[in-house]
Amino acid sequence: MATVKMAFEEKYTIVNRGNYNLSCDASPDQLRAGIHWRLNGVPLTKNAHSNELSVEVTDRPDAGNYSCHANDTAELLKHYYILINVGREADKILAETNGNYITCHAEQFGGNFTCFWRMREKAIFSASFYREGWNGDSKDCVLTQCKTSDCTVQASCTDETFSPYAEELRQIALTVEAATTKRYEKHTKHFYIRDILKPAAPKKLTTFRKNHKLKIDWQYPDSWNSPHSYFPLMSQVSVELTSRKCKHKKHIRTKDSPVELLIPCRNVPHQLKRHQNISCFTESSSVELPINKKKSLKVHRICVRVKELFFNSTWSDPTCSDCRTKLQSGSY
C-alpha cells in the first residue's frame, strides 16, 4: 500500500471547529521565569501565561499562528499554525465547475497527465498521486501556481510505471491540498488514464473542392501514440454551409455531442438543404462529402476534432478552417 504523505500536515495543525488545548512544553525553569502566548504575534490575555492554552476555534479569526515565548528573552518555545479544515462546508477554497473541483487530462496513453483547478481565494497548493495497490511513496506533481485569486492552477504529473501497451488495472488516486492563511482543504480524485484522455487538436487540415464534392484531409496530432492502427482515433467532421455572406454567419459550435447522435460520414445525404450543417464521424483521416449543386451555396466553416475510439474520453479542441481561408480546388 502506498504511503500517502500530506505536504501540509507537518507544517500546519489542521483542526475542525471546536475546543483544543495547546501545550508550550516549557521547562520548570522557563515556567518560573514566566511565559506568554501570542496569536499572529499579538500577545493574548486569556490564560496566556499557563503552560497550556485552551483555544476555542469557531471561525477564521481563531485560526493562525499560536506561539509561546519566554518572558525574559522572548525566545520562541513552541508554536502551532492552526488552520480550520473546510471539510464538507459549502464555502470552499477551490471553485466547483460542472460538479467537479479538479479536472484531469492526458494527451495520450502514457505516464504524463495534467490536472487543473480554479481557486476562489488566494492559497498555496500541493498535489501528489499514487496507484492503488502500489507499494511505495506517493509521487509529487509539479505545480504552476497562481499569484492572483480566481485563476487556474495546473499540476503536471508523471507515472513512470505506466505502459500504454498493458492493461490498466489500478486507478490513480490524486490528492490536492489547499491552504490559505486561515483554512485548509483536501480533495482526492480517482481515475484511469483511459478515462481522462483528451488528444491534442488534429493537424494539417486541408480541403479540396471539385464539382459537387468536398474532400477533407487531416492528420493525427504529433503527441498521440503510434502506431495509429493500434491506437485509433475517432474524428468528428463539421461543415457549415451557407448562401449568405460569411460575416453574417456564426461559427459552428463543436459541443460534446454523443457519438450515437452523429451519423457516419459515408451516410451523409447527397441533397442538403440551404444553410444545413453537416456533422458526422469517421475512423479515417479523410472524407468526401457531397455539396449542394446550387452555386450560391458556399462552405462557410470546416472543423475537425478527435477522440479515442474505444473509451468514453474527451474530444480534442477542434482544428478549423473558415471562409477567410480559401478552399483549394482541382483534382484529388
Side-chain angles (χ1 to χ4, degrees):
M1 183 67 180
T3 303
V4 184
K5 299 183 297 183
M6 297 296 98
F8 296 156
E9 286 186 344
E10 293 184 0
K11 183 176 181 180
Y12 302 112
T13 302
I14 300 162
V15 303
N16 298 314
R17 301 177 194 273
N19 296 312
Y20 297 90
N21 291 323
L22 308 181
S23 175
C24 184
D25 295 339
S27 68
D29 290 339
Q30 290 169 332
L31 288 174
R32 281 191 292 270
I35 64 169
H36 65 276
W37 287 86
R38 302 177 187 177
L39 172 56
N40 298 326
V42 178
L44 296 173
T45 56
K46 184 180 178 180
N47 210 22
H49 301 282
S50 173
N51 195 39
E52 287 196 357
L53 178 69
S54 180
V55 176
E56 183 180 7
V57 180
T58 59
D59 211 340
R60 300 190 193 194
D62 304 318
N65 187 16
Y66 286 84
S67 57
C68 68
H69 303 260
N71 283 345
D72 52 354
T73 63
E75 177 188 357
L76 173 65
L77 304 179
K78 195 168 185 178
H79 83 101
Y80 303 81
Y81 203 114
I82 290 181
L83 297 180
I84 300 174
N85 188 4
V86 173
R88 298 186 178 183
E89 297 178 12
D91 186 17
K92 301 287 189 183
I93 300 171
L94 271 62
E96 185 177 9
T97 304
N98 297 325
N100 295 309
Y101 291 98
I102 304 168
T103 301
C104 297
H105 292 308
E107 285 195 355
Q108 61 168 230
F109 285 102
N112 297 321
F113 61 94
T114 305
C115 297
F116 308 87
W117 58 88
R118 289 192 307 111
M119 61 181 183
R120 298 175 60 243
E121 57 183 297
K122 192 172 182 180
I124 59 173
F125 298 92
S126 171
S128 61
F129 73 95
Y130 66 93
R131 284 276 183 182
E132 294 180 344
W134 252 358
N135 291 319
D137 294 335
S138 58
K139 306 297 181 181
D140 293 329
C141 301
V142 178
L143 297 184
T144 302
Q145 296 277 8
C146 281
K147 297 182 179 179
T148 59
S149 61
D150 192 24
C151 66
T152 300
V153 182
Q154 174 179 311
S156 301
C157 314
T158 301
D159 176 8
E160 297 177 351
T161 69
F162 181 83
S163 170
Y165 301 98
E167 184 178 0
E168 190 178 13
L169 299 177
R170 297 185 175 95
Q171 286 188 316
I172 287 174
L174 174 81
T175 298
V176 173
E177 293 180 282
T180 69
T181 57
K182 300 289 186 178
R183 304 195 301 152
Y184 169 85
E185 184 173 308
K186 181 173 72 172
H187 294 268
T188 301
K189 186 178 182 69
H190 299 265
F191 55 87
Y192 294 100
I193 291 293
R194 61 177 179 260
D195 293 330
I196 64 168
L197 288 171
K198 181 183 179 181
K203 65 175 187 176
K204 296 186 178 179
L205 174 63
T206 57
T207 56
F208 299 85
R209 185 172 182 177
K210 183 180 181 183
N211 298 328
H212 307 300
K213 286 189 176 181
L214 178 67
K215 188 173 188 291
I216 306 171
D217 295 319
W218 61 95
Q219 294 182 12
Y220 277 35
D222 290 333
S223 58
W224 189 247
N225 304 79
S226 60
H228 296 159
S229 58
Y230 191 81
F231 299 98
L233 291 173
M234 174 184 291
S235 300
Q236 179 186 356
V237 181
S238 299
V239 180
E240 185 178 6
L241 303 175
T242 179
S243 61
R244 300 177 182 179
K245 292 183 179 180
C246 291
K247 62 181 181 180
H248 297 309
K249 200 65 176 166
K250 293 182 179 181
H251 288 167
I252 295 172
R253 295 182 179 180
T254 52
K255 295 181 179 179
D256 282 339
S257 303
V259 173
E260 58 268 19
L261 298 181
L262 302 175
I263 62 172
C265 291
R266 63 179 179 274
N267 293 343
V268 172
H270 289 276
Q271 296 298 323
L272 295 171
K273 297 179 181 179
R274 184 175 294 185
H275 314 313
Q276 183 175 354
N277 297 334
I278 302 169
S279 188
C280 62
F281 72 89
T282 179
E283 296 178 16
S284 71
S285 295
S286 178
V287 296
E288 287 187 12
L289 299 174
I291 299 297
N292 195 291
K293 296 180 180 180
K294 294 184 178 181
K295 294 182 179 180
S296 61
L297 199 63
K298 299 181 182 299
V299 175
H300 174 64
R301 185 171 171 84
I302 299 170
C303 291
V304 178
R305 61 179 185 169
V306 294
K307 69 183 292 294
E308 205 282 329
L309 178 61
F310 299 110
F311 299 108
N312 186 28
S313 56
T314 303
W315 287 103
S316 73
D317 294 329
T319 296
C320 296
S321 175
D322 59 27
C323 61
R324 290 171 295 180
T325 303
K326 185 177 179 180
L327 297 178
Q328 300 183 51
S329 60
S331 60
Y332 53 80

